[in-house]
Amino acid sequence: MVRTLALLTALLAAAATHALAQSSPFDMSGERPADAPVVQQPPQSGTEGAEPVEQAAAVRPPDAFKRFIIPYSALSLTGEVDERTWSVYLTPAQAQSAATLNFAYQNAIVVAPEASTLSVFVNGELAGEGPIGSAEAAEPLSYDLKPGLLHAGSNDIRFRVRQRHRTDCTVESTYELWTEIAPDSAFIRFAAGDSATLSSLDDVRAVGLDEHGRTQFNLVVPGLQQPSRTAALMRLAQGLALRGQMPGQAFALSETMPELGKPGQITALVGTAEELAPLVERMPDGASSGPVAMFVADAKSKASVLVISGPDWPKVQEAIEGVTQPMDRPSNIPRDVIATGRWLLPETPLIVSSARLRFSELGVETTEFTGRRFRSRFSVAVPSDFYADAYGDATLLLDAAYTEAVMPGSHIDIYVNGNIASTIQLNSVTGDILRHLPIKVTMRHFKPGPNLIEIEAVLVAEPDKACAPGTPASNDPRFALFDTSELRMPEFARIGRRPNLAAISGAAAPYRADAAAVPLFLDRADEDTLSAAATFLARLAVAGGRPIAVELITSPLAAGSRNALFIGAMPQLPKTVLMQVGIDSTRQMSWGNAEDSGQADETQKAIDEWRTRLSGGAWRNQVTAFQTWVKQEFDISLSSLRIFPEAQAEYAPPESAGLLLAQGANPTDDATWTLLTAPTAKRLREGASAIADVTRWQQLSGRVSAFEPATDKVEVTPVTGFDFVQTQPPTLTNYRLILANWLSSNIMVYALLLIGLSVLLGLATASMLTRLGRRQ
Amino acid sequence: MSKVGSVAAWAFFSLCVIAVITLPVNLQTQLIVSVLIVTFMAVLKLANAGGRWRLIALAFGTAVVLRYVYWRTTSTLPPLNQLENFIPGFLLYLAEMYSVMMLSLSLFVVAMPLPPRKASSISEGKFPKVDVFVPSYNEDAGLLANTLAAAKAMDYPADKLTVWLLDDGGTLQKRNSANLVEAQRASARNAELQKLCDDLGVRYLTRERNVHAKAGNLNNGMLHSDGELIAVFDADHAPARDFLLETVGYFEEDPKLFLVQTPHFFLNPDPLERNLRTFEKMPSENEMFYGIIQRGLDKWNAAFFCGSAAVLRRKALEETEGFSGMSITEDCETALALHGRGWNSIYVDRPLIAGLQPATFASFIGQRSRWAQGMMQILIFRFPLFKGGLSIPQRLCYMSSTLFWLFPIPRTIFLFAPLFYLFFDLEIFTASGGEFLAYTLAYMLVNLMMQNYLYGSFRWPWISELYEFAQTVHLLPAVISVLLRPSRPTFKVTAKDESILESRLSEIGRPFFVIFAVLFVALLMTIYRVYTEPYKADVTLVVGGWNLLNLVMAGCVLGVVSERGERAASRRVKVSRRCEFGVADKWYPATIEDVSAHGARVQVYGIDPATLPTDTEGGIRFEPYSGSGAPETLPVAIRNKEIAGDITVVGCRYLPQVARHHSLVADLIFANSRQWSEFQSARRGNPGLVRGTAWFLWLAVYQTSRGLIYFLRSLRSSETQKEGA
């Protein structure tokens, strides 16, 4: 019986046609065990699974208002325990309204319903809970939220699963467990009719999400293409984005009214009172006399529209500053936390030097666990000038316990951003209590901005060996993780690097700290380019936590020695810019036009093929085998032994890339130039909107990052040579750590330095000894 | 560049090196650096580079050692809240740091040992008056006769030389002892030695009470004599004829000189050498001390008095009221006191005396216990680091000499540390396999290479470890007891005249078999755990490898405590000296091939072997170096013979009848110190790390089996004894 079921599972798994497109904000596919079984795929949207929800929605009274709540393109809860927590901002009206929480979920067929539960918590209170048993089609669920549970402002939503396999008790089987909730099926429905109405500027925070987990701001600007207005519009975009703080915010700038009342969208009308008069039924009072920024209801759709206006453009600018200025904060004081709450709670703490953080502060709760593969996660952020990836180790002081049921061979793995960073063995046969057990976690995979740290305990247990089907899950905990555990970050080296796109992604560095306006070069002031620029700047503002002042420039030379941004379609860009950021300008005109020949890849493939074909030569094989072994065991390759850095080759944009973000130094080597470009303005707009999404945004790093729409991947070209950019007041300790990191990535320099100094010391000793003591 | 400038430059580069070493670079960097530096050192060593290259190689080694120390300190200690791991882990850490500290002290001492000195000469007619002291406690008359005769025969104006036998075995206190047997023995000894001294022309001196042991005895000698210089020889240390000529001249050159020390050369093997059969081919244990360390100390004006084979200045000794007797190593203590008062010492690196090693392992241990306890007493009572009057290098040198004797403590820790993991599963050293490779293995390799670089031809690989291991078991309680009660230990004279006639286990050998058994069980445990706990096989293998190394040592020591019986009573010295051999008043031309303290081997030409039955009495006639120049005859008895054509090789035993005969024996053995130097340099070859290690492994395997065989044999014989009873 067991065997038949297992076979069935295997067949089902094999039949699944799509690879899992995991869309949590962190890609964890990196270094998972290769033998992890293929996870079954839930039906895609559009299949009958989603139908019942839509029908259910259809019978609701028409004045009901719904807000989608899932900030991801897909929410997948996998393994034996998993949960996601984030916050949803509600207006006072929404908070007071009667509300129900609706979603539909589907799970893997191997999840045993009698032993698996899906729970939803709102503001820490259980809103609904039920067994997981909806393998065939997505099952819609609706939970009434009790009055008073919701409140105005941020409300925490938490989805949690406890899943158990029907037939299998191995660790491997836990990889087959999943429950998925489609974003278009999950929403809060508010009964009161005025829930949709936005009234104050603060209500921008309640912008919400669309059915794909994205957010869009529409800026309707008559006279959009007047260059004098661009800088102010960019400020506005940033102000709105900083209020929204949603994981994927795009801006659409146009001169015409879009369709109103769509979920996850806010439309703002920007212009003088005179210009806006034709678009609005009734202009707000005072718009003709002073700056105004307030919501009005659209006549036709009854949707709330943000009107930002004034009698003339300077007054409009004043109104824009009224939106944006409150979002500003001093650039020289580091943030305590990085605002990630709309997609990940708790907010990510920012660690700028040595610190000890308790797990309880990081949102990890004391948990007792009965299963086989325990996972927990938290997030910490490091600053943009973090420079300890080569040498540093953070330490987890782990408080945990395991019983004698856990057999030797079990282990706890620590992952940083999906890369394994440490493993400790649980080897005691009698169980053990680990009290502040120090675990070194390499900081190699840390990058500026939030970093996801996962703790996974793989528990091989005696009772699992005799895995009788149908027996109730053992409720004796065999593993516990305590929230008194701590993460200890050492003092780490801090210095900026140029180029380093990870610093842009993590904290909008270096632009965040610029006191003066940042020169912004746009090749054209059309809707697409302006939308792309607004989206990108808004994303920068969110990453940096503060709005950036911009100044439009028309020539790269005007940037002088300031950090500058260049946004535009490739064909129109000045050659100097391409040269400075290291992009092959011969492809300037052809990129995106020709069919991709993929010649370079073909050549490489051919060489590899020939290499395998000519596998003769025992000596060469030995050498290769040795190289492989050294690489595998110690992560040392021949290239890590070079003394002089590799020459930086010009980057030739591949045809598959839809968008490029590239960085380099300015011609005088004293400022940073960043270029955002695409083959056409339209693709620029699409690409900017795509990378603004937090999952993709966090992948930006290196010297050039290319977004490939077809595969939804960000291809990173690593930095080969870089300049240091001083960010901290000079101190000896910091320089020492910087040196340690630089030498750790330039091994031979360290070796030669030490050898050279040893020789000098030897000579100095010889000279001293011939002068001291007796001699003959 | 001035002294200050060179020290400043050295300090600057040291700081640079330390700054670079304490950078927290990653493991990969460490690995590459270790590989590079080990390769460099190996190349320098193979090229046998000396001079500056030697110091550069040592600087390389220091860099790796310091990297290890930095890493060991910052990342390997078990967390404080796991006391069961932390306490043994911290002890192990301290033991390692002790080893590193000793390494750095010895680097300082032997960084640039002084080359051999130019011979000094005594101005004509300015020979200072010398008193030669031979303190004795219980040595027999035969042994003393050789020594006194050799002392008397030294080349020196006779009116300037007085030889004193300072007898502590025939004191009034002993002669009047309540123990009748003891009293009788002391009286007989007193009479016998007085007679011997009269015959040899030596002054006999004894005292009323045995107070302050050897130091008291020497001070008593000083009270009764007035020579400007005092030469001290142990009862078994016979000087060569040129001893005084080679040493006294230096006192004229430096009026602040209080000591000229010369090496102790031994005619017979120590128990380890005898039981391992290494005496003929491997440098003796003490050659490292006398060949390198004393020369290194000499550079810093810190060569110290070793109790014998030295000349001291009376004026200096009078400042400190004679020899210091607070510790049981009065020699070093005296030197420390005089160095502290601004007196100088020098060391002459040429064997000018020949002595005897203790014959049994037990007496060897007894001798080492005295040294260890005495040095501990100096450390406690005189703490050289803060002793006023010493220069900084002298302080460091004395710290090095005294702290060395703490070695039983870290040795014990190294011995038992792997067992914590193998038996109790305690993790007292937190490191991954890669870190172990990059730091610990590199450290160990570099350590071995530095040792070999420093002492290569004086000390073969692993021999230091073997000697320390063999001493640790019995020295540990001795050292700990002196640390607890510093004034308790008393002077015990090391017996040198025992001999082992039949093969047997040492009476103090049992603990080594227990240790061997425990380590062997740990080896089995290693194998068991590798198979049953494959998930941590890497750690088990590393710890098991460490245990295996201990096991190899312990096995080798089993051979050390299995005492071989020996036929020849003492070592033979090659002499090749013309003589005549006479039997029944017929004389034949002959050559003396080799001599020992008890007999000689003579090649006789043209003799009829049939006339030489065993125990026939005969004589050897030769011209002694001392005396009038006329040939003299030494009576002998024939022990054995070999015939080779016209030549008959005759083995014979001396039959000394009068004191002059002892002088003749001394003339044969001790006359020519150049022979000893030649013998020593013949043994001084550096086998290198690889060959030395392979040889040591072979030795260990062989000695383990020999030890086990002796052990089984001793079990059987004790069974038969029981049956007999």
Side-chain angles (χ1 to χ4, degrees):
Chain A
M1 176 64 199
V2 178
R3 212 170 271 171
T4 339
L5 258 176
L7 190 67
L8 185 68
T9 317
L11 275 174
L12 276 169
T17 47
H18 304 281
L20 174 72
Q22 185 154 8
S23 302
S24 56
F26 304 91
D27 186 308
M28 261 86 60
S29 54
E31 289 187 22
R32 292 295 173 173
D35 54 352
V38 175
V39 180
Q40 265 183 272
Q41 195 52 32
Q44 297 298 296
S45 59
T47 55
E48 54 187 344
E51 291 299 312
V53 188
E54 290 304 316
Q55 284 161 8
V59 294
R60 294 272 169 182
D63 59 345
F65 170 67
K66 67 179 183 181
R67 279 192 56 186
F68 293 103
I69 52 171
I70 293 186
Y72 317 112
S73 57
L75 173 60
S76 185
L77 300 163
T78 59
E80 289 174 307
V81 281
D82 202 3
E83 64 176 39
R84 292 287 185 283
T85 311
W86 67 90
S87 70
V88 171
Y89 187 92
L90 300 179
T91 64
Q94 288 163 356
Q96 272 155 26
S97 164
T100 54
L101 179 70
N102 303 271
F103 65 93
Y105 77 93
Q106 189 171 14
N107 59 280
I109 192 161
V110 294
V111 176
E114 66 279 8
S116 307
T117 43
L118 169 63
S119 322
V120 188
F121 298 84
V122 175
N123 288 330
E125 279 187 44
L126 188 66
E129 188 170 51
I132 301 177
S134 173
E136 313 239 310
E139 182 192 320
L141 291 175
S142 178
Y143 296 121
D144 287 327
L145 300 178
K146 71 173 189 197
L149 182 57
L150 297 177
H151 47 74
S154 291
N155 293 267
D156 297 358
I157 308 273
R158 175 148 66 127
F159 281 84
R160 187 186 75 186
V161 291
R162 297 272 183 273
Q163 303 180 123
R164 187 162 188 267
H165 203 282
R166 281 176 196 268
T167 56
D168 202 340
C169 303
T170 59
V171 171
E172 289 74 35
S173 73
T174 60
Y175 289 95
E176 298 167 11
L177 305 172
W178 53 259
T179 294
E180 189 149 305
I181 299 160
D184 57 3
S185 73
F187 50 84
I188 300 177
R189 187 183 298 280
F190 300 96
D194 61 348
S195 297
T197 312
L198 304 177
S199 43
S200 75
L201 259 184
D202 260 352
D203 290 351
V204 173
R205 295 176 201 276
V207 58
L209 301 153
D210 68 9
E211 62 273 26
H212 306 298
R214 291 190 53 97
T215 305
Q216 183 170 319
F217 292 96
N218 304 308
L219 301 187
V220 179
V221 190
L224 176 67
Q225 306 210 354
Q226 294 174 30
S228 57
R229 298 192 168 182
T230 308
L233 290 175
M234 294 302 138
R235 283 287 284 180
L236 176 62
Q238 296 181 58
L240 293 173
L242 281 167
R243 285 169 189 271
Q245 293 283 8
M246 301 307 286
Q249 304 182 122
F251 282 80
L253 275 66
S254 69
E255 293 194 301
T256 54
M257 255 332 232
E259 186 189 337
L260 296 176
K262 280 189 171 175
Q265 291 197 1
I266 279 182
T267 300
L269 309 180
V270 189
T272 58
E274 192 182 331
E275 286 166 340
L276 295 186
L279 299 173
V280 191
E281 190 186 30
R282 203 174 78 81
M283 278 298 281
D285 302 333
S288 48
S289 56
V292 163
M294 62 188 295
F295 279 102
V296 300
D298 180 55
K300 272 186 284 173
S301 61
K302 300 291 176 220
S304 299
V305 175
L306 181 61
V307 172
I308 296 168
S309 185
D312 51 10
W313 186 252
K315 286 277 183 276
V316 177
Q317 264 178 312
E318 243 174 79
I320 286 173
E321 282 309 310
V323 175
T324 304
Q325 197 56 50
M327 296 292 105
D328 203 0
R329 48 173 294 123
S331 65
N332 54 354
I333 299 171
R335 290 169 281 179
D336 301 331
V337 291
I338 302 287
T340 54
R342 295 285 180 262
W343 66 95
L344 180 72
L345 272 176
E347 307 267 18
T348 304
L350 175 66
I351 301 171
V352 292
S353 73
S354 63
R356 287 173 80 128
L357 296 165
R358 282 166 76 96
F359 274 23
S360 51
E361 301 166 49
L362 293 165
V364 178
E365 295 168 356
T366 296
T367 317
E368 290 179 294
F369 182 62
T370 58
R372 283 136 284 274
R373 194 166 60 94
F374 173 80
R375 282 188 307 157
S376 190
R377 43 153 74 189
F378 60 86
S379 167
V380 289
V382 291
S384 62
D385 53 2
F386 172 81
Y387 185 57
D389 52 341
Y391 80 92
D393 286 314
T395 311
L396 270 185
L397 298 168
L398 193 70
D399 286 332
Y402 58 100
T403 64
E404 71 280 358
V406 174
M407 292 196 299
S410 304
H411 50 95
I412 297 177
D413 300 329
I414 314 293
Y415 293 87
V416 174
N417 293 326
N419 303 286
I420 187 140
S422 193
T423 292
I424 56 153
Q425 304 288 334
L426 303 178
N427 278 335
S428 169
V429 286
T430 55
D432 201 359
I433 294 181
L434 312 174
R435 264 173 283 111
H436 265 52
L437 178 77
I439 306 173
K440 263 196 234 166
V441 178
T442 169
M443 296 208 277
R444 187 173 168 161
H445 307 294
F446 274 67
K447 54 188 178 44
N451 294 276
L452 184 74
I453 296 172
E454 289 173 287
I455 300 164
E456 181 173 280
V458 175
L459 307 166
V460 184
E462 188 63 49
D464 288 347
K465 285 196 165 167
C467 183
T471 49
S474 163
N475 284 325
D476 295 335
R478 54 173 70 138
F479 177 81
L481 176 71
F482 303 109
D483 65 1
T484 47
S485 303
E486 284 180 284
L487 172 72
R488 190 170 61 196
M489 287 288 275
E491 196 79 38
F492 51 81
R494 294 188 62 186
I495 192 156
R497 277 168 289 166
R498 176 162 57 222
N500 180 19
L501 290 176
I504 282 231
S505 147
Y511 303 101
R512 171 179 198 274
D514 285 346
V518 172
L520 169 68
F521 176 93
L522 299 176
D523 70 323
R524 275 202 316 226
D526 61 9
E527 283 186 6
D528 286 335
T529 308
L530 286 172
S531 299
T535 304
F536 185 70
L537 273 161
R539 194 62 190 81
L540 275 187
V542 172
R546 63 182 295 258
I548 297 161
V550 293
E551 171 199 317
L552 210 61
I553 55 170
T554 49
S555 150
L557 293 178
S561 54
R562 289 178 290 169
N563 301 319
L565 288 170
F566 297 85
I567 298 173
M570 185 75 135
Q572 278 86 39
L573 289 172
K575 282 237 172 3
T576 28
V577 179
L578 295 182
M579 223 167 66
Q580 289 309 124
V581 299
I583 288 178
D584 184 3
S585 54
T586 53
R587 301 264 290 141
Q588 187 176 13
M589 295 303 158
S590 55
W591 180 37
N593 302 336
E595 285 303 306
D596 184 20
S597 59
Q599 204 157 16
D601 288 342
E602 289 294 320
T603 315
Q604 190 54 44
K605 228 181 262 172
I607 289 175
D608 289 344
E609 238 165 60
W610 274 97
R611 190 169 285 156
T612 49
R613 213 177 288 171
L614 293 177
S615 58
W619 172 241
R620 190 166 48 195
N621 274 357
Q622 293 291 319
V623 171
T624 321
F626 178 71
Q627 275 181 4
T628 320
W629 179 77
V630 170
K631 173 85 192 154
Q632 212 172 357
E633 292 292 311
F634 306 108
D635 199 19
I636 296 173
S637 62
L638 275 181
S639 66
S640 52
L641 298 183
R642 54 173 71 242
I643 296 174
F644 300 104
E646 228 172 318
Q648 181 171 307
E650 295 232 304
Y651 178 83
E655 285 302 313
S656 55
L659 181 88
L660 288 187
L661 186 64
Q663 201 174 66
N666 69 347
T668 48
D669 259 349
D670 54 3
T672 307
W673 281 10
T674 307
L675 168 69
L676 181 72
T677 186
T680 63
K682 184 163 174 293
R683 290 178 75 178
L684 183 65
R685 175 184 184 157
E686 289 163 4
S689 159
I691 62 158
D693 198 290
V694 68
T695 49
R696 301 184 191 107
W697 181 257
Q698 286 182 346
Q699 294 176 49
L700 301 177
S701 67
R703 167 169 83 88
V704 181
S705 288
F707 173 63
E708 304 191 341
T711 54
D712 194 17
K713 270 191 186 154
V714 176
E715 291 292 337
V716 171
T717 307
V719 177
T720 46
F722 59 85
D723 298 329
F724 283 118
V725 181
Q726 177 99 35
T727 54
Q728 300 292 311
T731 61
L732 205 61
T733 43
N734 195 28
Y735 279 136
R736 173 174 168 267
L737 296 175
I738 291 167
L739 198 61
N741 201 58
W742 189 79
L743 290 172
S744 291
S745 35
N746 292 273
I747 293 179
M748 287 315 272
V749 178
Y750 183 78
L752 292 180
L753 186 66
L754 191 55
I755 287 171
L757 280 174
S758 297
V759 170
L760 287 174
L761 179 64
L763 293 176
T765 313
S767 136
M768 180 179 74
L769 288 177
T770 51
R771 282 173 180 79
L772 290 185
R774 290 180 177 154
R775 61 205 111 127
Q776 266 173 342
Chain B
M1 212 183 341
S2 68
K3 270 186 195 180
V4 179
S6 69
V7 172
W10 180 84
F12 172 75
F13 285 117
S14 297
L15 279 178
C16 288
V17 168
I18 287 172
V20 170
I21 276 169
T22 53
L23 287 177
V25 294
N26 60 10
L27 182 62
Q28 286 85 350
T29 311
Q30 168 68 19
L31 196 68
I32 296 293
V33 167
S34 303
V35 169
L36 280 176
I37 288 189
V38 168
T39 316
F40 266 49
M41 272 187 84
V43 168
L44 284 178
K45 217 176 80 56
L46 287 178
N48 223 345
R52 289 183 172 183
W53 287 107
R54 182 185 125 97
L55 290 165
I56 288 171
L58 293 180
F60 279 153
T62 311
V64 171
V65 171
L66 288 180
R67 281 291 306 164
Y68 177 76
V69 169
Y70 174 72
W71 169 75
R72 186 79 174 84
T73 310
T74 54
S75 11
T76 62
L77 287 174
L80 194 57
N81 62 0
Q82 300 175 0
L83 278 183
E84 74 282 8
N85 290 332
F86 180 80
I87 292 172
F90 193 67
L91 285 178
L92 177 62
Y93 170 77
L94 288 181
E96 285 186 53
M97 291 306 115
Y98 164 83
S99 304
V100 171
M101 183 184 68
M102 287 316 294
L103 175 71
S104 46
L105 281 176
S106 46
L107 272 181
F108 172 78
V109 170
V110 302
M112 205 180 254
L114 274 193
R117 285 171 189 279
K118 270 181 275 169
S120 76
S121 55
I122 309 164
S123 325
E124 201 57 45
K126 279 194 161 179
F127 288 91
K129 191 159 181 274
V130 178
D131 286 310
V132 174
F133 288 170
V134 180
S136 168
Y137 184 75
N138 54 6
E139 292 82 1
D140 70 36
L143 186 75
L144 286 169
N146 279 347
T147 306
L148 294 171
K152 190 71 188 165
M154 287 190 288
D155 293 338
Y156 207 73
D159 57 327
K160 301 280 188 184
L161 176 66
T162 318
V163 179
W164 298 78
L165 174 63
L166 306 178
D167 183 27
D168 249 8
T171 52
L172 200 60
Q173 180 190 356
K174 290 215 158 189
R175 280 178 278 155
N176 297 340
S177 167
N179 182 334
L180 190 64
V181 179
E182 196 180 288
Q184 284 298 322
R185 199 177 284 158
S187 296
R189 176 184 168 86
N190 182 281
E192 184 191 9
L193 291 179
Q194 260 183 359
K195 163 88 173 51
L196 177 73
C197 289
D198 285 348
D199 288 350
L200 287 170
V202 165
R203 301 278 301 271
Y204 176 85
L205 186 67
T206 188
R207 50 182 178 149
E208 304 227 323
R209 303 185 52 78
N210 295 62
V211 287
H212 295 308
K214 189 175 171 186
N217 195 4
L218 290 170
N219 289 339
N220 185 51
M222 280 179 68
L223 287 179
H224 292 84
S225 61
D226 59 356
E228 192 183 323
L229 301 178
I230 296 168
V232 181
F233 301 114
D234 275 353
D236 57 317
H237 285 181
R241 283 174 45 240
D242 49 358
F243 179 90
L244 289 178
L245 296 184
E246 292 281 344
T247 52
V248 166
Y250 296 107
F251 286 93
E252 193 186 317
E253 286 173 16
D254 178 4
K256 283 299 278 180
L257 187 69
F258 82 93
L259 169 74
V260 175
Q261 176 69 47
T262 71
H264 295 179
F265 169 73
F266 295 107
L267 288 168
N268 65 331
D270 72 24
L272 279 87
E273 288 173 314
R274 195 188 67 240
N275 294 327
L276 304 181
R277 292 231 167 101
T278 58
F279 185 61
E280 299 287 337
K281 55 188 179 193
M282 188 180 82
S284 284
E285 187 220 8
N286 70 358
E287 278 184 52
M288 183 167 119
F289 178 73
Y290 288 109
I292 295 267
I293 295 175
Q294 278 280 41
R295 276 168 53 205
L297 293 172
D298 197 15
K299 175 170 179 72
W300 304 115
N301 187 17
F304 63 84
F305 177 40
C306 300
S308 172
V311 186
L312 298 105
R313 192 190 288 273
R314 178 182 293 270
K315 204 171 122 205
L317 285 170
E318 277 166 354
E319 268 191 25
T320 54
E321 288 164 14
F323 294 88
S324 318
M326 198 158 196
S327 71
I328 57 176
T329 45
E330 79 301 329
D331 37 17
C332 182
E333 193 187 341
T334 302
L336 177 65
L338 289 174
H339 274 134
R341 302 180 76 96
W343 292 89
N344 302 329
S345 70
I346 65 167
Y347 171 73
V348 174
D349 182 24
R350 190 178 152 202
L352 294 168
I353 62 109
L356 293 176
Q357 286 278 20
T360 65
F361 184 69
S363 51
F364 171 79
I365 289 295
Q367 178 193 42
R368 297 309 164 101
S369 297
R370 178 168 77 81
W371 293 356
Q373 292 189 322
M375 287 304 209
M376 286 299 103
Q377 288 177 318
I378 292 179
L379 189 64
I380 293 166
F381 295 135
R382 309 274 184 218
F383 198 68
L385 191 61
F386 299 131
K387 186 169 163 55
L390 293 180
S391 69
I392 290 171
Q394 281 175 330
R395 287 167 206 242
L396 295 176
C397 288
Y398 275 102
M399 284 310 278
S400 168
S401 304
T402 50
L403 284 175
F404 168 80
W405 289 96
L406 280 172
F407 74 80
I409 298 170
R411 279 281 150 208
T412 309
I413 294 175
F414 293 146
L415 180 63
F416 290 114
L419 306 184
F420 280 102
Y421 175 79
L422 292 174
F423 289 134
F424 309 116
D425 213 8
L426 293 179
E427 287 186 22
I428 64 177
F429 190 138
T430 57
S432 71
E435 286 175 321
F436 188 85
L437 193 71
Y439 288 95
T440 314
L441 196 64
Y443 164 71
M444 287 167 65
L445 269 179
V446 158
N447 219 337
L448 282 173
M449 283 205 284
M450 278 166 96
Q451 272 193 30
N452 196 255
Y453 218 117
L454 290 175
Y455 309 117
S457 45
F458 296 89
R459 176 63 56 83
W460 288 4
W462 306 105
I463 297 299
S464 294
E465 284 77 10
L466 179 69
Y467 268 87
E468 290 188 5
F469 194 110
Q471 297 173 51
T472 288
V473 172
H474 297 290
L475 253 55
L476 180 71
V479 166
I480 288 182
S481 78
V482 75
L483 289 178
L484 296 179
R485 295 179 185 188
S487 54
R488 192 127 185 250
T490 52
F491 194 99
K492 287 189 198 71
V493 174
T494 309
K496 305 264 177 100
D497 53 351
E498 301 160 304
S499 64
I500 293 173
L501 296 173
E502 69 181 59
S503 300
R504 61 174 174 90
L505 279 185
S506 169
E507 62 271 34
I508 57 170
R510 187 132 301 190
F512 295 99
F513 287 91
V514 176
I515 289 172
F516 183 79
V518 171
L519 298 186
F520 189 73
V521 173
L523 175 70
L524 297 180
M525 191 72 178
T526 310
I527 299 168
Y528 170 78
R529 290 189 59 172
V530 166
Y531 281 101
T532 54
E533 298 170 353
Y535 41 85
K536 46 181 176 179
D538 52 343
V539 181
T540 312
L541 281 175
V542 166
V543 180
W546 177 3
N547 180 63
L548 186 66
L549 194 66
N550 284 339
L551 185 68
V552 168
M553 278 301 159
C556 204
V557 175
L558 294 191
V560 169
V561 298
S562 303
E563 312 247 38
R564 289 179 197 271
E566 54 180 356
R567 265 174 301 154
S570 62
R571 197 195 122 58
R572 294 174 178 280
V573 186
K574 281 202 168 54
V575 288
S576 202
R577 193 158 159 184
R578 278 304 303 270
C579 69
E580 283 174 303
F581 187 78
V583 179
D585 286 334
K586 261 192 94 177
W587 294 94
Y588 304 90
T591 308
I592 303 171
E593 201 174 87
D594 57 43
V595 294
S596 74
H598 298 89
R601 229 157 129 82
V602 190
Q603 296 176 347
V604 191
Y605 183 82
I607 197 168
D608 176 9
T611 63
L612 299 171
T614 307
D615 288 341
T616 312
E617 294 195 8
I620 301 172
R621 193 157 68 186
F622 64 100
E623 284 179 30
Y625 294 113
S626 59
S628 59
E632 292 183 61
T633 305
L634 176 65
V636 295
I638 293 163
R639 306 287 305 166
N640 54 57
K641 57 180 184 277
E642 278 169 50
I643 300 147
D646 285 347
I647 289 173
T648 306
V649 181
V650 180
C652 45
R653 194 158 62 85
Y654 313 129
L655 295 175
Q657 285 145 12
V658 294
R660 182 61 193 161
H661 291 154
H662 286 292
S663 304
L664 291 176
V665 172
D667 194 275
L668 279 180
I669 310 176
F670 305 115
N672 193 353
S673 62
R674 192 153 299 120
Q675 292 165 353
W676 306 335
S677 302
E678 280 164 13
F679 174 69
Q680 279 191 328
S681 59
R683 290 189 300 193
R684 282 179 189 169
N686 184 354
L689 261 185
V690 177
R691 217 145 53 84
T693 304
W695 170 80
F696 183 78
L697 281 178
W698 177 87
L699 180 75
V701 170
Y702 173 72
Q703 294 300 336
T704 309
S705 60
R706 202 172 67 83
L708 292 175
I709 290 168
Y710 274 54
F711 182 65
L712 292 177
R713 216 184 278 160
S714 79
L715 285 183
R716 208 171 304 149
S717 71
S718 67
E719 262 171 42
T720 47
Q721 271 174 13
K722 259 183 225 160
E723 276 168 29

